[in-house]
Amino acid sequence: MNPHWRKPLLTIAIVAAVVLPIWPIAGKTAALFVACVVLALLLAQHLYNFSLFHSWLLDPRPDSVPNGTGSWEQLFSYLHRLVRRQGQTEARLQEALLRFQKAGAALPEAVILLDADNRIDQCNPKAEKYFGLRAARDRGQQITYLVRQPQFVEYLQGGDFTTPLNLKFQTGTVGEAILSIQIVAYGDSDKLVLGRDITRWERLETTRRDFVANVSHELRTPLTVLNGFLETLTDMEQPDPAMTRRSLDLMMQQCVRMNHLVEDLLTLSRLESTVTPLRDDPVPVCDLVQHLYQDALALSGGKHDIRLRLETRVGLRGSAEELRSALGNLVSNAIRYTPEGGRIELHWEMRDHAPVFSVTDTGIGIEAHHIDRLTERFYRVDRSRSRETGGTGLGLAIVKHVLSRHHARLEIQSEPGRGSTFAAVFPPDRTVIFDAEDIAISGPAAAPRAIEDATTAAS
Ligand code: ADP
């Protein structure tokens, strides 16, 4: 028998068991009266439980399900179990939704959920940032009222989302950003708008394009010169030996120039390559600076007064080759941009616990507005002077890269007509202490043995 019927049948059986014995003893009327009283009591009990159920339905909280009496007791217990299970399911769903919202908020991309009428359903903080939306305020709004760029509206309404749309956005919080927008249709005409910030990537692309254009431009001049000479020499039936000699010398100069350019480009590309880790060797900077000093004397050919001041014998942790290239560039620039008779000083010292290598010259100097751009690739203040002296326009870009790999910075002070100081300031934790003996072994005869002013004059 269905267990739900058991209790009502039992109640009827009890009523019958009470009423039927009365019939033979007290008569039909008394039996009917008792039956009416019992049924009225049962009806009152049902009405009472029904009113409990009704008032619970008006405020159906899981913890206030009534206990009930009689056959309602079991009914309310089932209801209680059902409500509790539903509460648990709801809590689980709530938790899943919360986790989903947290994941959406953590996404590096802007995400907007649109319904079939392109009304905003949900959006994450990145979407608020890039599209200038407010999730709470804009829910239910048509996205085209809020994101009004004509290209976006056209893209959304066009319905062809096979290729993403790149758009520039001007937002209050991030300034100008370039977003790659992709729309994905899902469900019943719902849409997912994804926005990825590609500003950095676009800038890199522009830099790459400019770089290729610059390199081509740099190579075009020497190639044109070579081409011109070769054509002239080929056209000459009786080559004039003196002129041939001169042409060959000039061609050689152009080849040397191209060679320097290629070498600098290769150095830059090695430095920029993330797969080349920085070496962490102890570099005896006193030795290195003395070699640079000797190179400077040779490069100047006695035309400048070159001095060397070594005030510390500390070395640096890093790459000797890279440091030589960077510091060497500062020295050769000083010679190239200082007119004959000028003075150049190479200085290795400790400044507030930070090792500093500086080159000071009394050369042509640089106007203040150029200074911030000097380390850009191919940036030159005076193009013709740079080219005349064999410059590639890449020297300070190499310096900047090497210094940043060594966590150092370049400080430039300059005054037009008076001269410049280029200082490489290294972090104190790159310092390596060398014994005087070490320096003496690896350095030239004039290596400093103590912390002292080892000023040397070239002339
Ligand atoms: P370049 O090969 O042209 O010298 P760099 O990158 O080494 O290229 O330098 C960039 C520009 O900075 C140079 O073209 C020059 O105008 C300026 N510059 C660099 N060093 C000095 C200096 N010591 N004195 C004056 N100008 C300098």
Side-chain angles (χ1 to χ4, degrees), residues 255-292:
C255 284
V256 170
R257 188 170 150 191
M258 282 196 286
N259 208 23
H260 281 162
L261 182 65
V262 171
E263 270 171 19
D264 278 359
L265 285 172
L266 286 174
T267 307
L268 256 187
S269 118
R270 254 198 316 275
L271 290 172
E272 280 177 353
S273 141
T274 44
V275 292
T276 322
L278 177 68
R279 294 182 67 94
D280 205 23
D281 304 330
V283 181
V285 180
C286 283
D287 284 7
L288 194 147
V289 172
Q290 291 205 53
H291 279 124
L292 294 180

Side-chain angles (χ1 to χ4, degrees), residues 4 23 85 113 133 159 176 199 211 235 237 252 259 273 280 295 313 318 320 332 349 412 434 437 445:
H4 304 302
W23 198 324
R85 222 177 293 150
L113 303 186
L133 302 174
E176 194 177 88
T199 318
F211 184 63
D235 289 347
E237 282 182 7
M252 182 63 91
N259 208 23
S273 141
D280 205 23
D295 293 348
R313 62 165 181 263
S332 77
E349 59 174 329
I412 307 172
F434 277 94
E437 295 304 317

